[in-house]
Amino acid sequence: MSRTERIGTFTRDGLVFDVRDEGPIDGTPVVLLHGFPQDSRSWEALAPLLHRRGFRTLAPDQRGYSPGARPRARRAYRSTDLIADVVALIDRAGLGPAHVVGHDWGAAVAWGLAAERPDRVRTLTALSVPHPAAFVRAMLTSRQILKSWYMFAFQLPWIPERVLTPDGFGYRALVASGQSPDDAKRDLGPMRDRTRARGALNWYRAMPFISPRSASRKVRVPTLFVWSDGDTAIGPVGPKLTSRFVDAPYTFEVLRGVSHWIPDEAAERVDELLGNHLLDQS
């Protein structure tokens, strides 16, 4: 495609994904992958800072979140499909390999993309969530399994969809985790649509279909991993183990006193880190 053409949507396997394409049209592309229960709006604080640095940002509403990309079956949310969705976006942009930044579940997809398709990734930046193999080891050797109790609760039918509301348990849980009340309402408001809630939860419900071999592959592109010590969902063990699974230049940064919601809470600090990481590889 032309460098002067914006992307509002892209398609894959009959699904239509919405995209926020912003910043200098001729800038080096940065793909921003949101997590649960957020969407592309979670990058509203960070994206303008990247634009000032001359980067073009492509932030999709991922599978389950875009109205045109909400398959019902949980198998449709396997990591192989989530990764292929991002490859389709990068190919649609037609601008060559992209810098990829992911938070929460978006970080998990970014790790997988960098390991499986390094030809599409210029650099990787993962926020909050460690390499999948490091996370599994942490689950088996630390209190991480207790912090991840909700992953098991989300396997239940119907009930999780009912509690993901801006005025119920879901709201209280997000605020207790450190998210601001306004951001929690922003993210949970759309969950009143049960098809969206189901799509978001299916990322967890598809976890039994993850291939252990695929999840353990090393990343061989320049990598920045940012974790925050106020994260109630991710303990320190997985982040400390992550360096074992990166065979490339690797930087690990810890944000002190910051909650799990790094893009909203610490956008300026992340921008500073990305400024060094991305520009070194542009």
Side-chain angles (χ1 to χ4, degrees):
M1 65 174 289
S2 168
R3 276 185 172 268
T4 61
E5 180 183 348
R6 289 290 186 188
I7 301 172
T9 63
F10 71 97
T11 61
R12 177 176 172 265
D13 286 351
L15 301 178
V16 181
F17 298 82
D18 297 331
V19 183
R20 290 174 181 248
D21 179 355
E22 300 172 319
I25 193 69
D26 59 349
T28 301
V30 180
V31 174
L32 302 174
L33 303 175
H34 67 82
F36 173 90
Q38 303 187 295
D39 57 28
S40 58
R41 293 174 297 167
S42 67
W43 301 107
E44 287 177 338
L46 178 62
L49 304 179
L50 295 176
H51 302 158
R52 292 178 194 171
R53 295 184 182 275
F55 292 105
R56 176 182 178 181
T57 59
L58 302 169
D61 289 334
Q62 296 192 81
R63 182 173 292 235
Y65 295 84
S66 284
R70 295 177 184 169
R72 185 180 185 89
R74 62 175 183 155
R75 284 187 66 90
Y77 294 80
R78 293 171 296 179
S79 59
T80 52
D81 281 309
L82 303 175
I83 291 169
D85 293 341
V86 184
V87 171
L89 169 59
I90 294 172
D91 288 349
R92 170 73 177 85
L95 304 175
H99 298 292
V100 178
V101 181
H103 173 246
D104 189 78
W105 262 114
V109 174
W111 284 113
L113 174 67
E116 299 282 346
R117 296 301 305 268
D119 59 312
R120 296 296 195 275
V121 180
R122 188 173 299 195
T123 68
L124 164 66
T125 300
L127 307 179
S128 300
V129 172
H131 187 283
F135 183 76
V136 170
R137 292 195 183 190
M139 289 277 280
L140 298 174
T141 62
S142 72
R143 293 175 57 84
Q144 182 60 56
I145 194 168
L146 299 178
K147 290 179 175 290
S148 300
W149 63 269
Y150 57 92
M151 293 184 176
F152 303 99
F154 287 168
Q155 304 304 315
L156 296 171
W158 305 113
I159 296 175
E161 281 88 338
R162 294 181 180 277
V163 302
L164 283 180
T165 62
D167 53 3
F169 175 79
Y171 169 78
R172 293 192 295 272
L174 291 183
V175 172
S177 74
Q179 192 173 32
S180 74
D182 287 344
D183 288 344
K185 290 179 179 179
R186 175 198 68 190
D187 295 337
L188 290 180
M191 294 297 177
R192 290 191 176 97
D193 182 337
R194 290 291 180 251
T195 65
R196 172 158 170 160
R198 183 185 64 227
L201 289 162
N202 274 349
W203 287 55
Y204 293 94
R205 292 166 178 164
M207 290 177 68
F209 304 113
I210 294 176
S211 165
R213 177 178 295 182
S214 176
S216 64
R217 288 180 178 168
K218 287 188 175 183
V219 167
R220 291 183 169 85
V221 301
T223 299
L224 167 66
F225 176 39
V226 183
W227 176 72
S228 47
D229 65 1
D231 195 321
T232 60
I234 305 293
V237 175
K240 289 178 181 177
L241 293 173
T242 289
S243 62
R244 301 183 185 183
F245 302 97
V246 181
D247 188 11
Y250 175 69
T251 303
F252 175 43
E253 293 285 345
V254 178
L255 303 184
R256 306 293 178 185
V258 176
S259 76
H260 177 76
W261 310 99
I262 291 175
D264 287 314
E265 189 174 341
E268 291 186 359
R269 178 60 178 141
V270 173
D271 170 63
E272 179 183 346
L273 294 170
L274 286 172
N276 295 325
H277 180 53
L278 304 189
L279 291 172
D280 284 348
Q281 304 298 327
S282 293

